[in-house]
Amino acid sequence: MRKFIPNIFSKTGAAPGTLTHIGERKDAKTVITVLNYSVDRFYEQQYDTIEEALAAIDSSMTTWLNIDGVHDTAIIEQIGRHFNINALTLEDIFHTGQRPKLEEYENYLYLVLNMLHLDENRDEIGSEQVSLVLKNNLLLSFQETQGDVFEPIRERIRKGNGQIRTKASDYLAYALIDTVVDHYFVILETIGNTIEALEEGLLQDPTADTMHKIHAMKRELLYLRKQVWPIREVISRVTREELPLIHPKTGLFFRDVYDHIIQIVDTIESYRDVLSGMRELYLSMLSTRTNEVMKVLTMIATIFIPITFIAGIYGMNFKFMPELDWRWGYAAVWGLIVLIVLLLIAFFKHKKWI
Amino acid sequence: MRKFIPNIFSKTGAAPGTLTHIGERKDAKTVITVLNYSVDRFYEQQYDTIEEALAAIDSSMTTWLNIDGVHDTAIIEQIGRHFNINALTLEDIFHTGQRPKLEEYENYLYLVLNMLHLDENRDEIGSEQVSLVLKNNLLLSFQETQGDVFEPIRERIRKGNGQIRTKASDYLAYALIDTVVDHYFVILETIGNTIEALEEGLLQDPTADTMHKIHAMKRELLYLRKQVWPIREVISRVTREELPLIHPKTGLFFRDVYDHIIQIVDTIESYRDVLSGMRELYLSMLSTRTNEVMKVLTMIATIFIPITFIAGIYGMNFKFMPELDWRWGYAAVWGLIVLIVLLLIAFFKHKKWI
Amino acid sequence: MRKFIPNIFSKTGAAPGTLTHIGERKDAKTVITVLNYSVDRFYEQQYDTIEEALAAIDSSMTTWLNIDGVHDTAIIEQIGRHFNINALTLEDIFHTGQRPKLEEYENYLYLVLNMLHLDENRDEIGSEQVSLVLKNNLLLSFQETQGDVFEPIRERIRKGNGQIRTKASDYLAYALIDTVVDHYFVILETIGNTIEALEEGLLQDPTADTMHKIHAMKRELLYLRKQVWPIREVISRVTREELPLIHPKTGLFFRDVYDHIIQIVDTIESYRDVLSGMRELYLSMLSTRTNEVMKVLTMIATIFIPITFIAGIYGMNFKFMPELDWRWGYAAVWGLIVLIVLLLIAFFKHKKWI
Amino acid sequence: MRKFIPNIFSKTGAAPGTLTHIGERKDAKTVITVLNYSVDRFYEQQYDTIEEALAAIDSSMTTWLNIDGVHDTAIIEQIGRHFNINALTLEDIFHTGQRPKLEEYENYLYLVLNMLHLDENRDEIGSEQVSLVLKNNLLLSFQETQGDVFEPIRERIRKGNGQIRTKASDYLAYALIDTVVDHYFVILETIGNTIEALEEGLLQDPTADTMHKIHAMKRELLYLRKQVWPIREVISRVTREELPLIHPKTGLFFRDVYDHIIQIVDTIESYRDVLSGMRELYLSMLSTRTNEVMKVLTMIATIFIPITFIAGIYGMNFKFMPELDWRWGYAAVWGLIVLIVLLLIAFFKHKKWI
Amino acid sequence: MRKFIPNIFSKTGAAPGTLTHIGERKDAKTVITVLNYSVDRFYEQQYDTIEEALAAIDSSMTTWLNIDGVHDTAIIEQIGRHFNINALTLEDIFHTGQRPKLEEYENYLYLVLNMLHLDENRDEIGSEQVSLVLKNNLLLSFQETQGDVFEPIRERIRKGNGQIRTKASDYLAYALIDTVVDHYFVILETIGNTIEALEEGLLQDPTADTMHKIHAMKRELLYLRKQVWPIREVISRVTREELPLIHPKTGLFFRDVYDHIIQIVDTIESYRDVLSGMRELYLSMLSTRTNEVMKVLTMIATIFIPITFIAGIYGMNFKFMPELDWRWGYAAVWGLIVLIVLLLIAFFKHKKWI
């Protein structure tokens, strides 16, 4: 079953601020990428150790420090010390499975998002925590695994496409968030296609299997809504509150992200309504079919049971049964049978069963 | 299946502000119409190139620049440069399928609406994006295809009917929005008639087909509500906030539009309730009918099965069956059968089945 | 079917402020009544022409000008010019079928209400628009048809009962609104009685007809709620906002009307819940009955089918069937049959079917 | 049926402030009790006439004037004149069946509550209006009938238990309200017990009667919620607004009452959810049972119908039926029958029916 | 049945502030523990009498006074007098079964929480009230029974793990609340596992028993939500309002607790949705199975009833039945039977039943 509980509780009773990584431990090495850029230049380099990476930061440019893999506590702690990040924030970066949120600290903004992807093998939605720490001309991004989701943004920085090189780290944060949110649409489209296929299948031949799939799909949408809903609030706060680290002009772009989130939430609700409608449709189709099956049974039984009774009567072995000796007795019985059948057919017609 | 996802996501990862037309590409040529008017004069002209059109604007009059077809990026970009329109706005004009919204910029107001129409062939609601850019004495309107929806307004300007020539571009914006919203009523009326027909059909003869139609209609209403709901918010902001480009007197007119939107939303909800009620009615009618079918079957079976058994008994070939030799045995069996039938009928009457 | 759409849309595209009467045209003549009153005097007179009526207004007294019938555009326009009423207001007076609303203009307050009445013939709720224009010591009231709903208030003015003659036109507006709202209770009571009758019928004998009536009643309540809901908002604004034309002391009385509206809305919701409960009860009663019918059928079939089989066996015509020649064969078969029946009865008892 | 409409409407059209008692007229005499108390003294006396009672008020002490029976208009009017109470308030005291509310007047606070009690005979919740008028060191309480609900408070005053004698009239109001609210818990407990019994009955043997009782109980809870809900708002206002007549320290006590009301509302909602769950459980139990009944029928019919057919075949009287003359024909038929039965049992096992 | 009513009402009519313990009286002795700590030192001691405990408080350090068992009124009263605690607060400590709440008094903060635990024997959620009184450098905690839930915190104080020894009593309050809330996750996980098991069972073999368990689980979740919901409000107030006794830095930690509470509430809602989905799935699986059972019955009956009738016909004993004497009569009957069976099978294929 899809787990609805986050894995936070596994540290029940432990002191807050204890830095233990919680979540599925990935064996992959932590990869640190530093990307310094300004309007006219950019340097990009992958590092093995955090010391080298921190040394590579050029404070005269905008820096994007991306960390793939959050299981190495030592690295995160070192980053925390270097950038003066609160222990609670570090804890949230470690303990993946956080609810999306925005937290304002004195010298930085902390944002948690969920990157969703369809798990091909298990036909389920997978979730990965992305943490962003936004400082004045620096953005730290933490991902659970190494992925190429942010590759198009790196490409835009490299090629200087669009406005990204002319803008500060808040715009970079916007670009990352926008990418994460846009990926939800991809998932929604896959779900939409699956629902469409299910609905066509349902209309052609409603089977119990369709119901199981509808049930499973509803569960996935429940999970999706639980993931997306808090993001709405996060982005809404970014556009509503005047955060010192977000330039008002970048705020305009976040308004755009907010529109997308609203559309995603709306679409999830619509899908849930559609699935509910399909379940209702399935049940009423089933009722209709049961009703039809019953009618067939009833008609057959109602026609044959009485005439079988008549045949039974004249199969009795009584000594004195005058009808048996009549010349036209047998023909009369057939006549009676035909009469009964005709009457019953008239009755069914009257009842609109045929 | 009706698509519930907008087509925004297809540009995932692209830089915002990239001007690519998203939406079904229409081959029709872009048509540009310029209409200058004041209380006592008006000029109207269609142009092939945007340069000619821009040259035709008379700044001493109120100007309505209407563009039919938004797939020609070059034209839109040129307009954007000429009127100093933000790249995000231009993007929204291109990427049709936007959620209705109102955005306030320094020097203009940007409004997105959905024009709905019933697609005759596919029996579905079609949607077309209408973008309005309101400046001081200028209104730009962008439609996806060439339509004659706004023809009555052009006629009113030409003939000088009503107040339209005496008012500024904000009133023109109101007139366009009012026309778009009034068209929703036309769609609602068609839906209302279809529901009425469905309901009559349901009450006369509930079939599985009716259920399928109810299901499809619910889907259309879901879609309609998704289209109309955000407009409510847009118009509400126009009436609530003191926008510098909307004269307070024109605000009174928008209050009227708001009333209409509320009525539309109310009516959609009522229709949904009515359809839900019809589904419930269908199911209970079906249950009632199944119950009746069952009763018929049960009565027939309950009456004939016992008496068939009796006939079966005296059809046995035992050597020693004293009843078979009795003079009135056969008559006695008939007596017994009649007795059983009468008793069972009494039982059914007691159970109120007949 | 009850129409849920207002008839506003029929003027799609027409210029706002165009004065065309929309609604069922009544042939009855427009009747204008002027009632001037102060603490110690009152004049009352019906007029045929609006000129005479306007001349009869005594500005030193409080005046109630009542117009029955709003199809005569000329009269309404003349009144509008005389009292300096906005074109949008005049339009709303004409176009009956408005949603109840309160609009504040510079020199008057405009209120739209719905007077409801039970249409005896069609067993439906009928609605009639009442428009009130409240000025300093003047109240204009517009009704669609001539009715005697406000007669008790006229009587109170004539006889000087209560406080009405000692108060200004705002109190008169309150009195009219109170009368309209109180009439909703009458309708609610009729509905309550119908529901009560339906429920008793349901408990005694659930038929498909009851379901149809429940369905129809739900539709009427849907319509009623749609009519009453906006009035709540209107009255709430009167009590909440400090309107210059409503004296704070009269505001106290409106608080009373607000209480009534809340009770009406509550009662409608309760009725809807009761009807939903009745539908559920009907369905579960039906399921119970189907279950009982099935049990009877199953018991009869389960008992007689096996023993009929036994009789069938010994009705076979095989040459070599030793049992047939046994002296006590027939008796043994009867014994077997009795045994089977007893065992099956025990089985049914065990299953708690009997 | 439980009436959901208040009896206010019966005076439709009458002038507000007209003092006519509305509600079931009780023949019992109006009983007036005056209780003067201070920290060290108290006088208590019942009076027949209002003049004597008013004379007995000692302005140097806190006075509780309790009136049992509100049908005698003269008495209420006299009290109104003496204490300068608004006509609207007097009207509300008369017209029992008011929605609970709090009204602030210049010189007093007016509170309406509903005292609920279980009507033993009719198994329904009965309601009685309690009106409180709170003045500076005086509390007027009006009850519809003479009851001993407030007896424990009188006892506390007499014996000087708790803080009541040391506090002012606002604390007395709190004590009365607290008593009224605490009585709701008694009703809730009775309902809880009934639901518990119903649920146990349901789990043991689901009958149609249980459904009727669940339906009736839901109706009572609907009524109860309608009674309790507005009280929440009343008490909330007392704790939230700074009312001049309520001392902040007494406000703390009202916070307690508010907690209780919230618990009551919560509990009612929980009960409604439990009842809904029970209805669903009943329906699914019924479906399960119908399914089981159907299985039994189907198994019996499926086994015996084919073998009965075989017996029927060899009961035919054709001249040329070779099997009939075979030595082992009869035995072969039995073999065939046993084979069919075994195959069908295997089929049922495969279908998991047995 | 799970009781949804608190036990407050049992003191109906009693004076507030009367100190009587309400709740299940536990016989265990009251255990008082005093823990004084500062950054560098800590003393811990259990006491039998409250006097000794109070004497052991070291005002130069932070003190945690924990009382296990609240049935001994004398002890609580003594504490109340010593720390100047309001009578209403003391009453709430006694009367266990309070709704979680936060009350601000002049010199202390009062917090009520519910500690939940799964009752192993009865498979139900048990609840225990934890009351916290937060003063300047002192925290009083009251538990109903002696438990080791807070042991990890004591351990952290003893060993000086984390920040706890460096912080004031407000941080200690946070630590206790965090522990209580974290325990909800444990319960949620157990519930999640149970639901998972139920769902697997349901998909494999839907039985009535599964439905009973779903019903029971829904009841438990209803209870859980009722317990958790008010805590959300309590913690929200701690983070929102600037309470003088909570240091802003500790407020950050409470924000974390708030996140957890929101996740818990979300998860409960998700579980309820999942259970509702399972119920729907069960019903549709049942309907599908009933439909299948009906199909089998109908096919068997429809095939055999007509051919049994034919056999019955030729079992009649009429003297003149020409077919009986035909040489190929018997073979012809078999031919007819096979024909009928083939036709019916074709009919079922057409109906898609097989």
Side-chain angles (χ1 to χ4, degrees), chain B residues 156 174 185 189 199 203 259 262-263 266 270-271 273 280 284 288 291 294 298 305 316-317 319 323, chain C residues 5 8-9 13 16 99 101 212 215 219 222 279 282 290 293-294 304 314-317 324-325 330:
Chain B
R156 264 155 62 192
Y174 150 72
F185 281 111
E189 201 193 20
E199 194 170 41
L203 287 174
D259 279 359
I262 291 290
Q263 280 192 311
D266 272 16
S270 299
Y271 281 161
D273 278 5
E280 289 178 352
S284 55
T288 310
N291 183 270
M294 287 304 306
T298 302
I305 286 179
M316 292 194 294
N317 298 319
K319 287 260 163 58
E323 298 97 318
Chain C
I5 323 171
I8 301 165
F9 71 91
R99 199 176 139 90
K101 61 180 170 184
H212 289 231
H215 179 69
R219 292 272 305 260
L222 208 60
R279 190 194 154 264
Y282 174 76
T290 301
V293 169
M294 288 303 307
F304 283 98
Y314 295 106
M316 291 194 295
N317 298 320
L324 294 182
D325 300 325
Y330 180 51

Side-chain angles (χ1 to χ4, degrees), chain E residues 14-182:
Chain E
T18 318
L19 294 187
T20 334
H21 170 66
I22 289 185
E24 212 182 318
R25 180 169 295 272
K26 278 97 178 184
D27 291 327
K29 222 174 133 294
T30 301
V31 178
I32 305 161
T33 321
V34 176
L35 215 162
N36 294 306
Y37 63 88
S38 65
V39 179
D40 44 4
R41 298 176 299 162
F42 85 92
Y43 309 127
E44 186 181 10
Q45 181 79 44
Q46 282 202 5
Y47 297 96
D48 283 345
T49 66
I50 182 67
E51 288 81 7
E52 290 171 307
L54 292 176
I57 294 174
D58 182 343
S59 66
S60 71
M61 303 167 80
T62 304
T63 305
W64 174 14
L65 185 69
N66 181 61
I67 292 100
D68 287 332
V70 293
H71 51 273
D72 191 339
T73 350
I75 292 177
I76 310 290
E77 269 182 15
Q78 228 168 326
I79 293 173
R81 265 197 307 276
H82 187 270
F83 293 110
N84 192 17
I85 296 173
N86 193 311
L88 281 171
T89 303
L90 294 182
E91 200 187 335
D92 285 349
I93 292 171
F94 281 126
H95 299 164
T96 61
Q98 298 292 325
R99 198 177 141 91
K101 62 180 171 184
L102 168 70
E103 285 182 347
E104 216 184 331
Y105 288 90
E106 268 172 66
N107 53 339
Y108 64 92
L109 264 185
Y110 175 56
L111 259 140
V112 184
L113 293 176
N114 293 321
M115 183 121 69
L116 301 182
H117 55 92
L118 272 181
D119 200 325
E120 307 272 329
N121 305 324
R122 292 191 299 164
D123 206 26
E124 275 188 1
I125 297 166
S127 165
E128 188 185 324
Q129 175 172 327
V130 176
S131 301
L132 300 182
V133 172
L134 175 65
K135 286 175 77 87
N136 211 0
N137 56 352
L138 179 91
L139 182 80
L140 305 176
S141 63
F142 300 84
Q143 296 180 62
E144 285 187 59
T145 53
Q146 202 170 354
D148 51 359
V149 179
F150 293 147
E151 195 53 32
I153 293 171
R154 266 184 218 106
E155 205 55 36
R156 265 156 61 192
I157 295 176
R158 284 180 205 130
K159 300 198 173 152
N161 285 345
Q163 312 171 299
I164 199 158
R165 289 249 298 258
T166 68
K167 303 248 174 180
S169 56
D170 58 343
Y171 186 88
L172 177 60
Y174 150 71
L176 296 185
I177 294 167
D178 191 43
T179 304
V180 167
V181 168
D182 275 356

Side-chain angles (χ1 to χ4, degrees), chain D residues 289-322:
Chain D
R289 278 163 63 155
T290 301
N291 183 270
E292 271 170 29
V293 169
M294 287 304 307
K295 270 190 211 160
V296 168
L297 174 61
T298 302
M299 282 189 289
I300 291 290
T302 307
I303 286 175
F304 283 99
I305 286 179
I307 59 183
T308 302
F309 163 70
I310 291 168
I313 283 292
Y314 296 105
M316 292 194 295
N317 299 318
F318 283 100
K319 286 261 162 58
F320 308 99
M321 286 181 68

